[in-house]
Amino acid sequence: MQQGIRTTFLLLSDTHAKNGVAVPDLPVDVAIHCGDLTDGSKIHEFETTLALLRSIKAPLKIVIAGNHDFTLDDPVYQEKADTARRLFSIAPELMRKEYGNPGDAHRLISQEPESIHFLDEGTHYFRLGNGADLTVYASPFTPSMEADWGFQYKRGDHHDFAIHSKVDVVITHGPPKGVLDITNSRQRGGCEQLFAAVARARPLLHCFGHIHEGWGGKLVTWRGTEPSENPSHFTDIDNSASSVIETLATIEPRQSDSAEMKREKECRLRSLTEEGYRRTSHCSQDESPARRGQTTLFVNAAIQSGDEDGRPQLPWVVDMELPRSTDAGLETSSASSRTAA
C-alpha cells in the first residue's frame, strides 16, 4: 500500500471573538475552525475572528458556522430581526449597524483571501499544496430543545448527516453523542444521529466544539469491520482498544486529586500553556497510527472555557497521513477545491 502524505492540521473552535485567543506561530498545512466564530453574530465580531484566521500560517483555512453565528443562517436572522422590532421596538437601522443586513456576514467572509474557505453543509474536496488530497464533510447543524439559534434542529427530530466512507475529515460544530460531549451538568450533549453517521463512515478525523467543557482528544478504535445496525457509543466503540489523548480531567486539578496528582496536573498544564497548543501525531510510523476504517481521532477543539471566567483552552495540532494526489501536475504551493454537487 502506498504511504500517505504527512499533513499537519491546526484545529480550533468556539473562539467567540474573545480577546486573548492566540494561535500558535507554527506553519501547518490546514487550519480548521469548527464554528462559533462570534458570540452574538455581530459584524465587528466576525471582523475580529477573520483577523485571527488571517494570522494563521496555513495555505488552507476551513471555516464552518456555529449556532452563535446566526446571521449566517438567513431565515433565523430574519426571524430574530422581526422579533426584535415587534417585541422590543428595536429600530431597523440599529439592527443593521450591529448585525448588518441579511447576507452581509456571508459577503464579509467571501471578501477574505482565497486561503479562507467557508463551507456549507456537504462534502468538499481539496487538493493540498503538500501533494495530498483531502475530502471533508462539513455541517454546522446541532440539536437543541428550542432550535431558535443558527443552524439548529430540535432534539429528537431527524437530521441527515450524509457522510460517505471516503471522507477523510468530518468537521461539525457539535459533537457526536458519547464522545467528548459531557456537559458541566454531567449530561451528554452530543447528537445520536451524528454519531451513527460517523460510525458508518469511520473517517480518519472528526473535529468539533460546541460543548466547551468537552475539550479533549480521543483515538477511538471501532468494533469489527462493519457498524452495528443502530450505531451508538455503547455498541460500536471498542473502549479497551481506544485511548484518551487528553481531556480537561487530565490537566486540570480536581478537588478529589491527591497533592501529588495536583502538582503533576499543574506542571502538565503549565507546560502545554507555554507551548500554546496540544499536539498529537498518528502517522504510519507513530506509536498509535490512524487506520482507515478501524480508528477515528475525535477532537473537541473548543477554545472558550466551560467556566464563565476560565482561561482560553488550547488549540490542537494533529499530524495525519492523507492520500497522495493522483494529479501529477499538482502545484505544491497552494490548495484548490471543489464541492460535491
Side-chain angles (χ1 to χ4, degrees):
M1 180 181 294
Q2 187 181 41
Q3 185 172 340
I5 294 180
R6 187 182 187 95
T7 303
T8 302
F9 295 86
L10 171 64
L11 310 177
L12 65 162
S13 184
D14 297 83
T15 53
H16 290 278
K18 298 296 185 182
N19 294 323
V21 174
V23 292
D25 185 25
L26 177 75
V28 298
D29 298 297
V30 183
I32 299 174
H33 194 304
C34 304
D36 276 0
L37 313 173
T38 67
D39 198 49
S41 211
K42 297 180 179 180
I43 288 293
H44 75 85
E45 293 178 327
F46 282 107
E47 291 170 341
T48 296
T49 298
L50 289 170
L52 179 73
L53 291 169
R54 287 194 295 270
S55 73
I56 296 173
K57 295 179 178 179
L60 174 62
K61 303 163 191 180
I62 297 174
V63 182
I64 68 169
N67 57 300
H68 279 254
D69 309 317
F70 60 83
T71 55
L72 293 169
D73 188 339
D74 289 344
V76 170
Y77 179 31
Q78 191 62 59
E79 182 178 347
K80 284 186 174 294
D82 292 343
T83 300
R85 286 192 293 268
R86 186 176 66 255
L87 298 183
F88 305 107
S89 301
I90 297 178
E93 56 269 23
L94 181 59
M95 289 287 295
R96 286 194 294 271
K97 180 180 178 181
E98 291 289 334
Y99 301 96
N101 290 310
D104 281 357
H106 274 288
R107 283 188 285 273
L108 185 66
I109 296 172
S110 69
Q111 293 167 4
E112 287 299 303
E114 291 183 359
S115 62
I116 297 178
H117 292 251
F118 178 79
L119 303 188
D120 293 321
E121 185 172 52
T123 303
H124 308 263
Y125 305 92
F126 296 91
R127 188 146 288 163
L128 304 185
N130 66 356
D133 279 342
L134 170 63
T135 302
V136 164
Y137 175 83
S139 177
F141 287 91
T142 54
S144 168
M145 295 303 294
E146 301 298 330
D148 55 355
W149 282 68
F151 306 98
Q152 290 186 325
Y153 53 95
K154 287 192 175 182
R155 193 171 287 277
D157 287 354
H158 177 73
H159 186 83
D160 183 20
F161 294 97
I163 310 171
H164 65 70
S165 61
K166 293 187 178 180
V167 164
D168 302 303
V169 177
V170 172
I171 307 168
T172 58
H173 180 53
K177 186 172 184 178
V179 185
L180 303 172
D181 67 329
I182 294 180
T183 66
N184 283 334
S185 60
R186 309 309 298 168
Q187 302 296 312
R188 289 205 176 273
C191 175
E192 296 176 358
Q193 298 167 75
L194 176 57
F195 180 90
V198 172
R200 293 186 180 104
R202 301 187 174 188
L204 293 172
L205 170 65
H206 180 192
C207 53
F208 47 87
H210 190 49
I211 306 298
H212 301 171
E213 54 269 44
W215 179 95
K218 182 176 182 178
L219 183 64
V220 161
T221 297
W222 300 105
R223 284 181 175 162
T225 58
E226 297 292 335
S228 63
E229 184 177 354
N230 297 298
S232 77
H233 63 287
F234 294 115
T235 59
D236 286 68
I237 292 178
D238 183 350
N239 282 304
S240 64
S242 301
S243 57
V244 173
I245 297 164
E246 201 87 80
T247 66
L248 294 179
T250 64
I251 59 174
E252 290 187 347
R254 304 295 166 94
Q255 190 172 1
S256 58
D257 291 339
S258 66
E260 182 180 0
M261 179 63 71
K262 287 181 180 179
R263 285 193 297 271
E264 289 179 0
K265 287 184 177 181
E266 288 167 352
C267 181
R268 174 73 177 150
L269 179 58
R270 185 164 54 249
S271 175
L272 288 174
T273 301
E274 289 173 356
E275 192 162 24
Y277 53 89
R278 176 58 164 96
R279 189 163 197 161
T280 186
S281 185
H282 302 277
C283 297
S284 56
Q285 303 303 314
D286 292 326
E287 182 179 349
S288 300
R291 302 185 303 277
R292 186 176 292 274
Q294 300 177 52
T295 64
T296 296
L297 175 65
F298 291 86
V299 175
N300 182 328
I303 299 298
Q304 181 164 306
S305 170
D307 297 326
E308 190 169 331
D309 298 322
R311 75 178 81 186
Q313 296 167 170
L314 296 172
W316 282 75
V317 175
V318 172
D319 297 297
M320 283 194 160
E321 289 174 357
L322 293 178
R324 190 176 300 273
S325 173
T326 56
D327 186 346
L330 174 69
E331 294 183 6
T332 58
S333 60
S334 61
S336 59
S337 68
R338 64 184 176 90
T339 301

